Amino acid sequence: MLQNNFYKILEKENLIVEFFSGIVTIDSIIKFKQNLIQDPKFSLDYHYYICFKNVTFDIEKQEISKYIDFSNKYLQPNKHRKVAIITDTPNQVALTTLFKMQSEHPLQKVEIFSTTKSALHWLGKDATIFNKFNFNKKCI
């Protein structure tokens, strides 16, 4: 399964939308985030909508600390930020729950959702926010 990971920064919404597909490893997530933080529109303080519904994780639980170390070094928010993670399978829920448990930060709240509607509601965004973009229909 080929990866087709992409992001969209919605500046007016203070939101970064990330879509992952295919087989995802810790190294592929870190590389993706390294590219994201190089984007001139990137802000540490934007909220996140991250869709993992189309992925198969190739990640061992002990590898999550590698991403947490990267995140602690490069992705720490300066003000309160919400991260909504969208999942579809038990494997996705399990790994994202481990991430959530290890990534505690006083300025960041992470929640895991199975529907876009509930994730956007929690983020305080209208469900029509994605209508003008050509996003993967499984994640919106």
Side-chain angles (χ1 to χ4, degrees):
M1 202 178 338
L2 293 175
Q3 282 187 353
N4 185 21
N5 308 329
F6 68 95
Y7 67 87
K8 181 81 173 167
I9 298 174
L10 308 178
E11 290 178 280
K12 291 180 183 176
E13 297 290 338
N14 296 320
L15 184 66
I16 298 172
V17 179
E18 299 178 0
F19 292 102
F20 292 84
S21 66
I23 297 172
V24 174
T25 65
I26 285 295
D27 290 333
S28 68
I29 294 173
I30 290 173
K31 183 175 179 176
F32 178 88
K33 295 290 189 174
Q34 287 170 330
N35 290 332
L36 171 64
I37 61 179
Q38 297 301 314
D39 190 307
K41 296 178 183 177
F42 175 77
S43 170
L44 287 170
D45 299 320
Y46 286 170
H47 302 293
Y48 282 85
Y49 173 97
I50 304 172
C51 182
F52 284 127
K53 281 189 168 188
N54 298 315
V55 306
T56 300
F57 286 117
D58 185 12
I59 298 171
E60 298 295 325
K61 67 180 183 178
Q62 61 271 21
E63 291 181 291
I64 294 174
S65 62
K66 182 177 178 180
Y67 176 78
I68 298 302
D69 292 344
F70 170 81
S71 178
N72 287 341
K73 187 172 182 180
Y74 298 106
L75 296 172
Q76 292 305 302
N78 299 311
K79 62 181 186 177
H80 289 281
R81 167 175 82 192
K82 291 182 175 182
V83 178
I85 301 174
I86 316 304
T87 62
D88 196 37
T89 69
N91 171 266
Q92 294 163 355
V93 172
L95 279 166
T96 55
T97 299
L98 287 171
F99 163 77
K100 177 183 174 180
M101 290 168 44
Q102 291 186 30
S103 66
E104 291 183 15
H105 186 281
L107 295 178
Q108 178 172 278
K109 284 188 162 211
V110 178
E111 293 295 336
I112 301 165
F113 299 90
S114 61
T115 68
T116 295
K117 184 177 179 180
S118 58
L120 290 175
H121 177 75
W122 181 73
L123 289 167
K125 307 298 179 190
D126 187 271
T128 62
I129 189 173
F130 296 147
N131 288 354
K132 58 186 169 187
F133 302 103
N134 186 23
F135 289 143
N136 181 328
K137 296 297 182 200
K138 187 168 183 181
C139 282
I140 57 172

